[in-house]
Amino acid sequence: NAGVTQTPKFRILKIGQSMTLQCAQDMNHNYMYWYRQDPGMGLKLIYYSVGAGITDKGEVPNGYNVSRSTTEDFPLRLELAAPSQTSVYFCASSRLSPEETQYFGPGTRLLVL
Amino acid sequence: AQSVTQLDSQVPVFEEAPVELRCNYSSSVSVYLFWYVQYPNQGLQLLLKYLSGSTLVESINGFEAEFNKSQTSFHLRKPSVHISDTAEYFCAVSDAGGGNKLTFGTGTQLKVEL
């Protein structure tokens, strides 16, 4: 199993540009998550999904959109990139229950200039 | 809602010395507790977790954590650290009553020196 994969690994965007961060998992997990990690701030939940067709906002959703058309894929869309979106983005997945481990991808480092 | 406090942002320690990374949480409901580790330029991976039962939980690489309900703490310890333990460690909680969302602390950078 590849686990959770993310592309790209690194990207530089200009202010106002848009992009999609890709995330895929091959563990048949129902839950998928997007986090951003900023220095000294820990991880903040952006959006999550409990299954195909179902998504919900996390703690910091502004400026982002998600969709979940399949169990495997959970892309994160940035519209009108801003410098405040410079961060490292992690995708994760897990099974249904709150005691289940979340499995993280390797991350996407985004720089908005 | 839950919150997690990791008071130590950085902990330097010499190799083979003991270490304790502190974690305190706040919650109005029962929680599950987790420690995740992030090695340089990698994603997070689970180190250990407390769900129920024995309050002392152990990882395969010598770390242990003890759940203390009265002090709302879940401190991580290792009696003798190695260079390879250098990483960032995150404490996290989830609502035991349902919902899979994790609330993370701000992380503790453990730097093991020779």
Side-chain angles (χ1 to χ4, degrees), chain B residues 25-86:
Chain B
Y25 69 93
S26 174
S27 177
S28 57
V29 299
S30 295
V31 296
Y32 296 132
L33 294 152
F34 304 79
W35 275 100
Y36 282 82
V37 59
Q38 184 181 30
Y39 297 104
N41 299 312
Q42 295 186 26
L44 280 71
Q45 55 187 276
L46 181 72
L47 187 61
L48 48 75
K49 60 184 175 182
Y50 171 77
L51 304 179
S52 64
S54 172
T55 57
L56 185 66
V57 291
E58 298 177 351
S59 72
I60 58 173
N61 58 352
F63 282 93
E64 63 180 31
E66 185 159 20
F67 170 55
N68 187 319
K69 188 174 182 179
S70 63
Q71 296 186 5
T72 59
S73 67
F74 191 53
H75 300 331
L76 182 69
R77 301 183 183 95
K78 189 171 186 180
S80 176
V81 296
H82 301 283
I83 287 285
S84 59
D85 294 324
T86 293

Side-chain angles (χ1 to χ4, degrees), chain A residues 37 95-99 102, chain B residues 36 38 46 49 94 99-100:
Chain A
Q37 182 182 28
R95 294 191 184 94
L96 270 174
S97 302
E99 68 265 29
Q102 289 191 15
Chain B
Y36 282 82
Q38 184 181 30
L46 181 72
K49 60 184 175 182
S94 69
N100 281 38

